[in-house]
Structure formats: C-alpha cells, structure tokens
Amino acid sequence: GDSVTQMEGPVTLSEEAFLTINCTYTATGYPSLFWYVQYPGEGLQLLLKATKADDKGSNKGFEATYRKETTSFHLEKGSVQVSDSAVYFCALKRGNTPLVFGKGTRLSVIA
Amino acid sequence: EADIYQTPRYLVIGTGKKITLECSQTMGHDKMYWYQQDPGMELHLIHYSYGVNSTEKGDLSSESTVSRIRTEHFPLTLESARPSHTSQYLCASSLGLYRLEDNSPLHFGNGTRLTVT
C-alpha cells in the first residue's frame, strides 16, 4: 500500500540555519504530496502542497519540490527561526482515499 | 481562528467508563476524520466519513464507534475506556470535492487529550 517515510528527529538547529527534512513516498499512480505542521498544543495545519511532478509548493519561506524520479518531497527553508519549532508531517493522497502521513519530524530551533 | 471545535480539551477518566469526544465544524465540509496521535507523534486514522450517514473504519478503529447524523457533527465514542486509550485525539475535516482527485486540505481541531487511569 501507499506509504510515506520521513527522516526521524528530533532535529535541532540554530536560528538562521538551513533546514532540510527528507521525505520519500511509495504509491501507485500519481499522488498529491503535502507538508503539514503542528505547533505545540495545536492540531495540524497545511504548510504547502504539490499536485503533480516537478511542482514546487511554497509557504512562509518553506519550499518542497515534487520529484517523481526519486519519489521525494523534501522540505527546505533557507533560514529558520525560533518560531518554526514544531512537528512537521509529510503526507500523500491518491484519489479520494484518506491522507497517508509520515511519522513526523520534530524541529527545535534555538536562539 | 479555528472553524473546527473539539471538546473537551482535556479529560481524565477511570477505566471502564463510556466516553464521547465531540467534534463540530462550521465550514460545511462533507469529509470528517478522527486520528489518534501517540506520544511519539505518529498519527493513526481511527474513523472517517464522507458525508451524512457515511462512516468508514480506519487502521485503529476496533474499540471505538462514530456517527454522522449531521454534516457538522462527528462524535467519537469509546464504550469502555482503558489505559491503552490514553492519547491525543484529533478531529479533522475537508471540503470533499467530488471528482477523481480530491486535493482539498484537511482542517484540524486542537485535539482532546485523554487520560484513562
């Protein structure tokens, strides 16, 4: 079945460091790919998405490119802030089936 | 501002009690979901619904039930709470576009943190 694998955390970075969180997927057909973020004490919220190969999703300085040849959707940000500390989830969706989430990666950014 | 509401926010209850976790959304979304989030953050789909009178089981549903009598309301019931049910429960909804590819995003509530003693 469909699955998402993302790098295990926790990831700890200093403020203004470059961030990469790796995400790869296994799915038949052409899924849509998403990154969700969960801030402390809250539910998840959509960060960005890409619906077809070579699409780049971007939001709040975060970017991810849908790479079909490597089945990847890595999340990147050039300069992280303390306020980016959260748990990040990669997810895929195919047709009308429910989202399939990765296990989440906790990011801590220290000043 | 949240358009999907979960109550209670925190609940401590004894083993064997029956409990219902409430979830309501004001966005008119057709699709609704319940997830259990373990301490390691991983999300497990418990139940979902594609509309009124529609309910489907997810990966982790055997000890709970749901109902969808109204579009806006999707309560989750545990018939007999156990310590293994201690977890965070997240409700979500999405627009539910009726086409081949539904990429509408999920909107999550802030969760109910359940502790069973």
Side-chain angles (χ1 to χ4, degrees):
Chain A
D2 298 344
S3 66
V4 174
T5 302
Q6 59 182 108
M7 63 186 287
E8 292 187 19
V11 174
T12 302
L13 296 173
S14 298
E15 206 165 23
E16 299 183 2
F18 185 86
L19 168 72
T20 300
I21 300 178
N22 290 336
C23 171
T24 58
Y25 68 90
T26 301
T28 56
Y30 302 95
S32 295
L33 302 174
F34 305 81
W35 278 99
Y36 281 80
V37 58
Q38 184 178 27
Y39 297 104
E42 298 182 9
L44 283 70
Q45 55 185 273
L46 178 67
L47 181 60
L48 54 84
K49 72 176 185 181
T51 57
K52 61 182 188 295
D54 299 325
D55 267 1
K56 178 186 282 188
S58 62
N59 186 25
K60 300 181 181 180
F62 291 90
E63 292 182 341
T65 301
Y66 188 160
R67 300 287 189 200
K68 188 159 180 65
E69 63 275 15
T70 54
T71 61
S72 65
F73 193 54
H74 305 320
L75 182 68
E76 297 182 335
K77 187 176 185 183
S79 176
V80 293
Q81 305 301 312
V82 172
S83 57
D84 293 325
S85 298
V87 180
Y88 292 82
F89 292 89
C90 186
L92 73 80
K93 195 172 193 303
R94 209 163 42 79
N96 278 307
T97 58
L99 268 176
V100 176
F101 285 97
K103 293 185 176 182
T105 302
R106 184 180 299 278
L107 170 67
S108 295
V109 181
I110 53 177
Chain B
E1 186 173 346
D3 295 306
I4 180 164
Y5 306 94
Q6 292 187 241
T7 57
R9 188 78 173 90
Y10 301 93
L11 179 62
V12 180
I13 200 162
T15 297
K17 299 292 185 183
K18 177 180 179 178
I19 57 170
T20 296
L21 307 184
E22 300 289 346
C23 177
S24 294
Q25 50 95 5
T26 59
M27 297 172 283
H29 286 172
D30 282 325
K31 295 183 177 179
M32 296 189 73
Y33 310 82
W34 275 105
Y35 289 89
Q36 182 177 337
Q37 186 171 32
D38 61 28
M41 304 170 300
E42 189 171 357
L43 295 161
H44 302 280
L45 181 64
I46 311 172
H47 294 279
Y48 57 104
S49 167
Y50 286 161
V52 171
N53 294 326
S54 151
T55 60
E56 303 287 343
K57 293 186 177 183
D59 308 320
L60 204 69
S61 61
S62 59
E63 299 178 345
S64 60
T65 59
V66 291
S67 63
R68 190 86 185 278
I69 298 171
R70 304 197 317 262
T71 297
E72 63 271 22
H73 194 214
F74 192 43
L76 175 74
T77 297
L78 293 174
E79 293 294 333
S80 179
R82 303 184 195 176
S84 60
H85 292 138
T86 295
S87 191
Q88 162 125 295
Y89 291 83
L90 294 171
C91 181
S93 70
S94 66
L95 185 58
L97 300 172
Y98 291 99
R99 59 187 189 203
L100 190 61
E101 290 292 331
D102 173 15
N103 297 316
S104 51
L106 265 61
H107 297 256
F108 281 82
N110 285 332
T112 293
R113 187 164 295 280
L114 173 66
T115 302
V116 183
T117 60

